[in-house]
Each structure stands twice: as C-alpha cells, then as structure tokens.
Amino acid sequence: MARARGTDGSLLASLPWTLLALAFALLPHVPYLPAWITAALLACAIWRYSIEVRRKPVPPALLRASLALACFLGVLYTYSTISGVGPGSALLAIMAALKLLETRQRRDQFVLLFIAIFLVMSSLLREQYLWSLPYLVVGVILIMTAWLRTAADDLEPLRRSLGTSSRLILYAAPLALAMWIFFPRIATPFWAVPIDTGTAVSGLSDTISPGDISALSKSDAVAFRVKFDGVVPDPRDRYWRGLVLHRFDGRTWSGISEPRISSGALKNIQTAGEAVQYEVTLEPTRQHWIFALDIPYHWDLESTFLGPQHQLARVQPIDQRIAYKAVSYPDYRIDLELHPYRRGWYLEFPESRNPRTAELASSMRAAATSDEAFVRAVLKKFNEEEYHYTLEPPPLGSHPVDRFLFETRRGFCEHYASAFAVMMRAAGIPARIVVGYQGGELNPVGDYMIVRQADAHAWTEVWLPGSGWRRVDPTAAVAPERVDAGRTGAMFDGTAAAWGLGAPSRLLHNLVLTWDAANAKWNEWVLGYGPENQERFMNWLGMDDPDWRQMILTLVALVTGLTMLISLALMLRYRPPSRDKAAILYDRFVRKSGLKPATGETPRGFAVRAQRDSPLPADSVRSITDTYLDVRYGPPDPALLRRLEVDIAAL
Amino acid sequence: MHSGSPLEKTPLGKNAGRQALERACAALGGIILDKDRQIALALACLLARGHLLIEDLPGLGKTTLAQALAKVLGLSYRRIQFTSDLLPADIVGVSVFRRDSGKFEFQPGPIFAQLILADEVNRATPKAQSALLEAMEEHQVSVDGDTRTLPVPFFVVATQNPADQIGTFPLPESQLDRFLMRLALGYPNAENERELITGEDRRSMLESVTPEMTPEILTTLQQDAAKMHMSEHLVDYIQALVRQTRESPDIEIGLSPRGAQALAAAARAHAFVERHSGVFPDDVQAVFTAVAGHRLKPAGNTSFRSPAEMCQHVLDSVAIP
C-alpha cells in the first residue's frame, strides 16, 4: 500500500456540503437509530473535517477495517439481525460514517452522496407523512447541490448550484408524477419490506392491569379517522369496539390473543333502529383488531371476521394504513342465550384476591332486588361517593381492586371498568371488559371525525337474562363529561399544558385541526392511491380495465414522450456556455501536459515549454493553444469551443 | 504630394489596409535589421495614435527608424534637431510682418507635419521641450492668440540619449507620460552588423523607399485597431497588472488610470498588428515594458537595474486570468 499522505485541503470547500447533505439525509432516521450510531456519525464527521482542516492523513486502512468490523458487530448485537428497515438503515448510516474516514477524492464524495440519496429515500420505508414530500425534495436539492459543488472544477457561486439542482428536480417532476400514476399497483406487492417491529406503535395493549402505574396514552396521535355517510352518532354513542377481555387473575385482565372466527356471532345479533354508515381510515397498529362502532354488522374488509365476543379482527396484522367501510347499529341486542360453558368464562374470579370487594358485592347484591337494581346501585355508589377521575392514579398493591375501591378511590376508565366487572362477577353476573375508543372529535375543516390515541377507553359489558350483553360504562358514572362531551375539553387541557400554555388556545386548536385535515387528504389521495384508486383513475382516463402490461407500455411511452419533450425544451432554451468553460478545458490540457504554468506565463509561453518538455505532440499543443486564446480572448464562437473540447479530448 | 501613387486609386477595403500594413512591416524590416519586435511596437504605437520615444545611445539607428516610418507610412515628415538654444518659436513658427500687405503673416514651424522627428529631445531647454509636448497633447498650437490645428494624423517620434550624458535636460515624469511608448533599440547582432557595414548605406536606402500606404489608410487602420475585441478576462488582467504596480513595494509610483488606458490601447493595436482574433495576454505583455517602463518610478531601495527588469518582475507576479 502506498504511504498515507496528508490530505491537501482540496476538499475543504466541498466537504461541508457533503456533510450537510448527509446530515439532512440522516435526520429522519435519528429517532429510530440507536444512540451509539448517531454518536459515531457525529464523531466521524467532526474527525474527518478536522483532518481536512489540519491537512492530516486519513486513518490507516487497518484501523478503518477494524472499525468497520466493530460497527457491523455492534449493529448485529443491537438488532440481533441485519435484515429489515431498522438494521438496514443503521448499517447504511454507519457505512456512510466510515466512508467519510476514507474520503480522499471527489470520487469518494460522490459515493457518499449516493448513500445520502439512498438514506433519504429509505426514510420513506418508515413513515410517509405529509411533510415527508417537501423534506424529500429539499433533501434531494441539497444533495444535488453538494454534488455540483463537488464536481465543479472552479467553485461556482452557491446561487447557481442551488438553481441548477432545483431545475434538475423540476425537470424530473413530470416523470416522477407519470411513474406514480401509471406504475401498476397490485394488491399484494411482490417485494415485501420487512417492517421494523421493534419500535412500538402506540395502540391498545392486549391486556390491562389497573394496578400498575398509569400507562394510559396521552398521545394526540391519530388512531383512526372516520367519515360518516349521513347521520353522525351522538357523543354518548361513540363507542368504538376493539377487543374484549374476559380472563381475570385478580390483577390483570386478558382476552383471546389471536383472532378467532365465530360463524354464529352475526346470528346472535338483533338489531333495531337506524344504521350508521361510515368509512374508517385506520393507522397501522401491528395488531389484528379492527375498530367499529358498537355494534358492527357489515364491513368490506377482506379476511376480517367477527369473533365470538363480537370483536372484529383481521387475519393479518394491520401493518399499513387501511380504509374500510362499515355499517353499525347503535341499537342492538347480542347473545340472548349464553352457553353455560361460556358463562363460566365470564364469572371467573380468583377467590384469594380482593376479598373486601367480593364481600361488598355480596352484601350489595343481597340488598338489591334484581340484577338490574344491583348494577344501578354500583353505578350510584361510584357516582355519589368520593370517587375521582384522574389520569395519574396512585399505584395499587396486590389486591388492586380492594385498594382502589376502599382506599385510593382515584383512577381512570380501566380502574372503574375493572372494579365494576369484578363486583359484577363477585355477585354472580357475567361481565367482561371491552377495550376500544370512546368519542372522537369532528373536524369541520374536512368534515370527518378524528379519534386519537388519547380517546382510548375501557368499558364493561354485563350479561343479563332477557337482554343479553349490555354495555355499562362505569367511568360515565364518575366522570360523565368524559363520555358526553367527548374528549375535546380534556385534550385542550393536555395540549395547552404540553405547550406550556396556561389557557387553551382556540387558534392553536384550529391549526391542529387544519393540519389534520391536510394529512387526511394526503392519506386519501396520495398514500391511498392503491390498486382500486388506480383502476378508477384509469377508467376515468378511458382505459377500460387495463392489465399491467398495458400500463407498463403506457408508462414507457409516457416517460419517453416526456423525456423528449423536456429535452426539446432544454435544447430550445440552450445558450452557448460562457467562455469560462474554455478555462476549464485549458486546465485539463495543462494537467495532461504534466507541466505547471508559472505565474504570469502566457499560454503561448507555456506552449513553447510544453512543446519542448511534455510528451504531447507539438502540433496539438500549438493548435490547442491558439484555439484556446481565440475562444477565451477572441469574440464569442461556440464552434471554436467545441473544437477545443474535441482537440483536448483527443490528446 | 503623393498624387501619382497608384494607392489612391485602389478602394480602401479592409484587405487593402491589412495588406498595406503587412507591406509596411516588411519594408521597415528590410531597413532596420533584426528589430522586428521594436518595429511591431513602433507600428502599434502609431496605430494607437500614440507618440513614441526612442531612447538609446547615439548611432543605433533611432533616426533611421523615424525616417523609415515616415517614408513607409507615406506621411509628411519634418525633423527638429533639439539643441540647447532651441526656442519654442523654432518649433511652432512665428508671425512675420509683411511690408507689402501691412499685416502679420504666420510662418508655420516644423511642427506642422504628420510625423515629427524630435531628435535628441533632451538636449533642449525645458521651455522648448514643453512647446513640443503641449503640441503633442493638444494636437494644436497657439501662436499670437490664434489657435492652429495640427495635421492629421500627427505623430511625434522623439529620440533621447540616456540622461547621464553631459549637457542634457531630462524630461520630467509628467511629460514622459505624454509618450505612449518608450523603446530602446539596442545593438544589432553580429551578422546584421556585418551587413550594415558591408551593405548599402541606410540613408541612400531610405531615398529609394516608396510609401506603402496613405494617411487615409492609416486612419482606417487606427479605427480598426481601436475596435479590437477585448474580453472581460483581459480587462481583468490589465487591472491586475495596474494594481500590482501600485501595490508592489518595489515601485514608488504605479500606473495612473491614463497609464491603464494607454496599456489597453497599445495592447489593442499590438493585437491588431499581430492579427490576433482579440487582445491576448501576450499582446499586453509585449507592450507592457514599452508602455509602463517610463511611467513607473522605482522605490529608493529597489534592486532592479533597469525599468525593463522591473516591468518583467511585475509581469511575473500577476497570474493571467
């Protein structure tokens, strides 16, 4: 290997741009990357820059190789795999950092910028928000600018680099649009991106343990959006059914972890009154549960079934945003008959736990005339006695229900639902907990409803002879406003507190709603442009039921046509380049001669020397010098410039 | 005066002027041996409408060059030998009282010619010198309150012996500035000197020289030379050179804006003589010593032995854009 030479500082002008482009490309990955990789990236960038400033040699090959191996093992150790979006982008990031350390020439910088383009694109595998597109455009412009500044022989003004890269993006935009519209979409993509399952998406958990410290999401993240076709149900009817929990071990409620099909479930529903029709756009949850208003009756989602406890679930987990239409009946009766075996499920109650609750339930049931009267009595107890609704309840011990009911008396929906269900079971009434969302905020901007993670809710269902499963929401008894008014008030307080504002801000809230409406449109029109929308659009264009071959042909024809059109426009706009090009070409000639012109040496003087001392043919030196002088100092003549280019290339 | 010349009958096309210039160049080269650079510079100086100062030891062909120029270019020619008793009136002329008409009548001096050879200009007193220099500047003379215009074109070729000879009045810097160029001829090489000794006498050769162009052609050529293409890069170069003369610690007084103008005009004319497509850096470098050498004042502690060396140093320290 050649001895390591010091860097000559020639990259000083373009290196900051390369670093900036890399940083911009990496920024969307940083929240997902392990901290050590971010730290390594920063360290490598600073290291490389200081090397350039101090004209030091880059680190030796052995050190670089061992660093690469160590980082590779580090990624393997952190993720225990190297495939998937997470480890993939981590590897890409770390390779970019290490490539910096062996960047000695322009060519290496180009490799870095290639990596940057790949990185900025790969962030789309994780999330495709509304702002992803502008970010992507800015990122690519930045990378192209870095590219131009690296490639420019003489440093051109920044404005021109930025202008050139923006123009390139502009030329590419029609092609991108054509490809986006016409590239055949198929329902099941033939490439599968391994989704990063390591990072949790906020959603409902499969179990609830009210004894544990509050894990309730206060997140304003959108769970799903709903567009109603007709009447919007009252806030008190907005119960979005998710999963049902029926197993209780004295502390934790759990349900069926895998979705099950129950052929009889639909038969056991009796409906009355008006149906509610709506379309839900569900954000990915990585779970199987499909949310629908109590109680769903029709839905148009494939491989989705109603389980034995009337919970909707899809066989494949929801890894991508999906939209489905559903019809629900707010007025319903389910399971008028309860199989004795099932009945056992809903009465399960560990005797050793929560003895005081069992005792209280027994005495209250004895005092009540009927099951209905007992239910009312318990709700009345919650309503009239000192029970408080709070999102930050104190932790509970080993008899969580006892402690909650008799001591702390503070909690949120899970606590009340759990306590209520336990009391019902203790009194011999079948009961279960339903987890889902309650409420939702109507967005006037887009005329749809937003249901957020903070709307997550738990309520109970009790089975009473003659009326089947009846929904009872004990939280409503404690904090009626939580259910009646929706969560708008509560959210106001949360948002204002999070922003450090004392008073709720209407303006801010309106901004939030507008932004959400824009996001919804983005999801609907851009991200939602799948096979069906594409087919609809093609039909609208007059292509009846095109197969993918036709579409590819259309795409190729369109892209070719657009390219020719853009090229034609560029050709018509073409102006002969400024004669600075001549200087660039002449520099190339000087480099080929292997000699260095002295300060103040004229091209003619240099030519005399080059004819004598350089291996270049004397005739070419003479004619190139003459042409160069004419191009650079004579009147403008594009033909001469081309001749100079050809002559120098021929050397 | 050249009414019999066939030149007047040929149309003054571009090529005619160009060919006349080539022939003039060749004719001058036949008389002044081995001085092609100086001939090109002298022609460039005249094409740039500038005056020429030739400074060298006696006997190196200064006078011959001036006479040859006048002859070849077809200009009316007068010679003024500058001596210490020369009076301004001896240059510009006097008004003489005519008895028969009872009026004063102006007798034009030798200045009223197209090409003046001011021989040994530093032998005359400053008073006489300034009469000449004012005529050069104004292209007109004032005698007894009347302003009289000098002929067009009007060139002064002055010769000067180096100042260390006895009995001279060296021209002050401000007046040296009036000359576009200062040339030194130098000794001929051995072969050419031999030819000078054995060959035909230069004076008799001059007798047989025929004019190669007319003043009209010369005026056209001057106009063409002034239109020579000068690119932005070359303007940058001239500016850089001028800045270097002002900023160099070896030079006390750098080039004035008029000096920069002179440099540009001379470079244009030189490029024209050399038939370049535009003004090349080589043109600037070729005229730089001649144009700047007599305008720069070296600093007191400088180590340069000659103005030429100082100018070369400036050229060597400015990059060509």
Side-chain angles (χ1 to χ4, degrees):
Chain A
M1 199 196 98
R3 267 206 16 240
R5 276 178 302 137
T7 52
D8 54 1
S10 60
L11 302 183
L12 258 184
S14 52
L15 195 61
W17 279 95
T18 308
L19 292 178
L20 184 67
L22 260 185
F24 203 82
L26 277 166
L27 203 60
H29 292 277
V30 164
Y32 303 94
L33 289 177
W36 68 267
I37 288 184
T38 312
L41 280 166
L42 269 178
C44 284
I46 295 169
W47 190 8
R48 182 61 185 86
Y49 191 69
S50 71
I51 282 173
E52 195 67 29
V53 169
R54 288 155 51 205
R55 311 277 200 274
K56 289 274 172 58
V58 296
L62 196 65
L63 177 61
R64 295 199 305 261
S66 38
L67 269 177
L69 187 67
C71 288
F72 177 78
L73 292 177
V75 170
L76 197 60
Y77 177 78
T78 311
Y79 290 92
S80 1
T81 172
I82 53 162
S83 68
V85 174
S89 48
L91 268 183
L92 210 56
I94 207 73
M95 287 308 148
L98 292 174
K99 181 71 196 170
L100 263 179
L101 294 186
E102 60 169 15
T103 295
R104 258 178 301 219
Q105 303 169 12
R106 252 190 276 180
R107 210 185 54 196
D108 301 314
Q109 280 180 290
F110 291 148
V111 172
L112 273 173
L113 292 169
F114 263 129
I115 299 179
I117 286 199
F118 206 81
L119 274 169
V120 82
M121 293 295 168
S122 67
S123 69
L124 289 181
L125 295 179
R126 285 214 170 88
E127 51 198 29
Q128 303 178 8
Y129 296 132
L130 179 54
W131 53 262
S132 299
L133 184 68
Y135 191 90
L136 207 66
V137 169
V138 172
V140 173
I141 288 180
L142 207 60
I143 292 168
M144 295 302 293
T145 305
W147 203 296
L148 288 166
R149 296 190 79 70
T150 308
D153 268 337
D154 47 355
L155 269 181
E156 53 181 13
L158 175 60
R159 272 228 329 262
R160 194 188 302 166
S161 302
L162 275 173
T164 307
S165 47
S166 308
R167 253 198 335 273
L168 285 173
I169 299 278
L170 204 66
Y171 298 149
L175 297 179
L177 194 67
M179 293 209 200
W180 180 71
I181 291 175
F182 286 99
F183 193 86
R185 316 271 164 145
I186 33 186
T188 47
F190 33 72
W191 64 87
V193 178
I195 293 279
D196 196 359
T197 47
T199 54
V201 168
S202 58
L204 299 182
S205 61
D206 285 344
T207 62
I208 59 172
S209 333
D212 296 349
I213 292 182
S214 165
L216 186 73
S217 161
K218 288 184 205 168
S219 154
D220 271 337
V222 173
F224 50 90
R225 298 185 176 87
V226 191
K227 240 189 164 123
F228 286 100
D229 190 5
V231 170
V232 179
D234 286 340
R236 57 174 63 252
D237 286 334
R238 292 177 198 158
Y239 281 88
W240 302 95
R241 195 177 181 87
L243 60 155
V244 176
L245 310 176
H246 64 272
R247 289 200 196 102
F248 183 57
D249 65 355
R251 188 180 173 82
T252 302
W253 288 87
S254 58
I256 304 166
S257 52
E258 289 295 311
R260 263 186 224 171
I261 307 166
S262 170
S263 51
L266 214 50
K267 273 189 278 177
N268 290 328
I269 300 177
Q270 294 179 0
T271 59
E274 289 286 302
V276 180
Q277 297 187 18
Y278 52 94
E279 182 174 359
V280 177
T281 311
L282 179 63
E283 298 293 313
T285 59
R286 315 261 193 271
Q287 293 173 331
H288 298 276
W289 316 116
I290 298 292
F291 298 93
L293 267 186
D294 248 357
I295 185 80
Y297 202 75
H298 295 293
W299 54 94
D300 70 345
L301 204 57
E302 277 181 21
S303 53
T304 304
F305 306 99
L306 202 59
Q309 297 165 325
H310 302 93
Q311 66 221 63
L312 270 181
R314 196 174 78 159
V315 176
Q316 306 89 16
I318 292 74
D319 282 337
Q320 283 175 331
R321 185 180 298 105
I322 54 166
Y324 51 90
K325 288 198 169 98
V327 178
S328 294
Y329 288 89
D331 193 0
Y332 62 90
R333 285 175 164 195
I334 48 177
D335 282 352
L336 286 177
E337 302 291 323
L338 194 60
H339 195 276
Y341 164 68
R342 293 263 176 86
R343 193 184 167 86
W345 281 11
Y346 301 121
L347 288 173
E348 188 185 279
F349 173 60
E351 300 289 338
S352 56
R353 292 282 185 92
N354 308 308
R356 292 172 71 189
T357 306
E359 198 180 310
L360 174 73
S362 304
S363 63
M364 280 178 79
R365 177 65 189 90
T369 52
S370 66
D371 284 350
E372 284 91 341
F374 171 63
V375 168
R376 278 197 298 276
V378 175
L379 288 178
K380 196 171 172 219
K381 173 181 165 68
F382 284 157
N383 190 1
E384 291 180 355
E385 290 182 22
E386 274 291 298
Y387 286 101
H388 299 283
Y389 182 83
T390 171
L391 292 179
E392 279 137 11
L396 307 171
S398 54
H399 300 290
V401 183
D402 277 4
R403 190 165 149 73
F404 167 69
L405 272 182
F406 298 101
E407 290 166 41
T408 65
R409 291 167 178 260
R410 294 167 173 278
F412 47 88
C413 55
E414 290 185 7
H415 297 77
Y416 290 99
S418 171
F420 185 81
V422 168
M423 285 186 75
M424 290 301 125
R425 287 188 178 190
I429 301 171
R432 60 189 185 190
I433 290 182
V434 184
V435 179
Y437 297 87
Q438 199 281 321
E441 184 187 7
L442 275 175
N443 188 348
V445 183
D447 194 23
Y448 63 96
M449 182 178 281
I450 312 167
V451 178
R452 300 173 196 275
Q453 292 300 342
D455 291 322
H457 193 49
W459 60 93
T460 53
E461 283 182 329
V462 294
W463 189 86
L464 298 173
S467 55
W469 287 106
R470 279 215 355 229
R471 182 174 66 220
V472 178
D473 189 354
T475 314
V478 182
E481 71 284 355
R482 169 74 177 80
V483 175
D484 284 347
R487 214 187 42 84
T488 314
M491 198 216 73
F492 254 156
D493 296 343
T495 313
W499 286 81
L501 300 171
S505 156
R506 272 282 149 205
L507 181 70
L508 183 68
H509 187 58
N510 283 341
L511 277 178
V512 168
L513 286 181
T514 310
W515 174 244
D516 192 84
N519 262 306
K521 282 273 171 261
W522 170 255
N523 292 342
E524 187 181 344
W525 291 107
V526 179
L527 301 184
Y529 187 72
E532 289 140 41
N533 284 345
Q534 190 176 38
E535 205 180 320
R536 222 172 299 151
F537 189 71
M538 291 301 128
N539 286 339
W540 182 78
L541 281 181
M543 295 172 68
D544 282 336
D545 199 18
D547 67 348
W548 64 270
R549 281 187 196 83
Q550 255 177 299
M551 306 223 353
I552 288 277
L553 273 178
T554 315
L555 180 62
V556 169
L558 203 63
V559 166
T560 314
L562 274 173
T563 311
M564 285 170 72
L565 217 66
I566 295 169
S567 310
L568 190 70
L570 289 180
M571 271 162 67
L572 291 177
R573 274 170 46 100
Y574 177 79
R575 299 276 173 283
S578 64
R579 273 162 301 142
D580 290 342
K581 181 115 192 279
I584 297 169
L585 288 170
Y586 187 70
D587 279 350
R588 202 172 294 163
F589 161 70
V590 167
R591 275 202 299 278
K592 281 187 180 177
S593 76
L595 302 174
K596 218 174 149 64
T599 310
E601 186 175 30
T602 65
R604 284 246 164 97
F606 180 75
V608 170
R609 218 149 51 83
Q611 282 171 328
R612 195 180 59 224
D613 298 339
S614 85
L616 301 176
D619 287 351
S620 314
V621 170
R622 174 88 205 159
S623 73
I624 284 173
T625 304
D626 285 352
T627 314
Y628 165 68
L629 284 169
D630 287 344
V631 171
R632 191 162 167 83
Y633 300 105
D637 185 354
L640 274 176
L641 183 61
R642 273 197 295 284
R643 203 173 95 197
L644 184 64
E645 198 163 4
V646 169
D647 285 357
I648 288 175
L651 276 178
Chain B
M1 55 194 144
H2 298 291
S3 54
S5 165
L7 280 168
E8 276 184 318
K9 280 156 202 158
T10 49
L12 290 177
K14 257 213 156 98
N15 261 343
R18 174 51 79 181
Q19 283 165 9
L21 185 61
E22 302 286 320
R23 284 197 305 270
C25 233
L28 286 169
I31 300 164
I32 322 288
L33 299 174
D34 186 36
K35 296 292 170 212
D36 289 347
R37 273 199 54 220
Q38 281 84 349
I39 290 169
L41 283 172
L43 276 174
C45 182
L46 300 193
L47 286 180
R49 295 190 175 93
H51 305 290
L52 184 63
L53 178 64
I54 305 176
E55 185 177 271
D56 225 327
L57 295 167
L60 289 171
K62 301 188 292 279
T63 314
T64 312
L65 174 62
Q67 281 181 339
L69 273 173
K71 276 256 175 187
V72 167
L73 298 179
L75 302 172
S76 61
Y77 166 75
R78 296 294 281 277
R79 170 176 173 161
I80 309 170
Q81 179 65 49
F82 278 49
T83 53
S84 55
D85 56 355
L86 187 79
L87 294 172
D90 297 332
I91 298 173
V92 297
V94 286
S95 292
V96 181
F97 184 72
R98 292 272 176 198
R99 265 235 173 121
D100 41 343
S101 61
K103 284 178 181 169
F104 282 97
E105 191 177 299
F106 182 63
Q107 288 285 310
I111 195 85
F112 289 91
Q114 288 165 320
L115 195 146
I116 313 292
L117 173 62
D119 218 359
E120 297 186 278
V121 73
N122 59 340
R123 287 211 174 274
T125 54
K127 197 172 179 179
Q129 286 173 354
S130 62
L132 173 73
L133 293 162
E134 268 175 46
M136 285 161 60
E137 176 87 357
E138 311 288 338
H139 280 243
Q140 59 187 26
V141 288
S142 299
V143 185
D144 303 333
D146 287 334
T147 301
R148 291 168 199 278
T149 313
L150 294 171
V152 178
F154 175 73
F155 297 123
V156 172
V157 177
T159 69
Q160 179 172 258
N161 289 330
D164 55 351
Q165 298 218 340
I166 301 160
T168 59
F169 300 91
L171 291 170
E173 269 124 15
S174 63
Q175 301 198 337
L176 279 175
D177 198 35
R178 308 275 161 81
F179 292 97
L180 180 67
M181 288 189 195
R182 181 177 70 175
L183 291 181
L185 288 175
Y187 295 108
N189 64 19
E191 189 191 333
N192 288 308
E193 190 154 33
R194 193 176 181 83
E195 201 188 325
L196 285 175
I197 297 165
T198 57
E200 197 185 345
D201 180 39
R202 297 292 122 176
R203 285 185 198 283
S204 56
M205 268 179 87
L206 279 173
E207 296 297 316
S208 58
V209 164
T210 52
E212 298 294 350
M213 61 174 75
T214 61
E216 290 75 31
I217 294 178
L218 186 59
T219 311
T220 317
L221 288 174
Q222 282 176 337
Q223 285 164 357
D224 288 348
K227 280 186 230 150
M228 206 60 200
H229 178 83
M230 185 177 274
S231 68
E232 289 295 314
H233 305 298
L234 204 103
V235 179
D236 291 346
Y237 183 44
I238 289 178
Q239 280 196 307
L241 284 172
V242 170
R243 201 178 317 122
Q244 176 69 20
T245 64
R246 292 173 192 165
E247 288 170 2
S248 166
D250 296 321
I251 299 170
E252 192 180 317
I253 299 174
L255 281 179
S256 62
R258 184 159 62 188
Q261 279 178 332
L263 185 57
R268 276 202 171 96
H270 191 269
F272 183 76
V273 171
E274 294 287 325
R275 312 190 66 166
H276 291 160
S277 59
V279 185
F280 292 174
D282 308 78
D283 297 317
V284 178
Q285 294 202 348
V287 300
F288 187 73
T289 305
V291 172
H294 59 290
R295 294 171 206 257
L296 299 177
K297 187 180 176 192
N301 56 354
T302 183
S303 57
F304 298 122
R305 280 169 302 171
S306 72
E309 200 175 313
M310 181 168 63
C311 290
Q312 192 57 46
H313 180 74
V314 171
L315 289 176
D316 286 344
S317 46
V318 174
I320 297 170

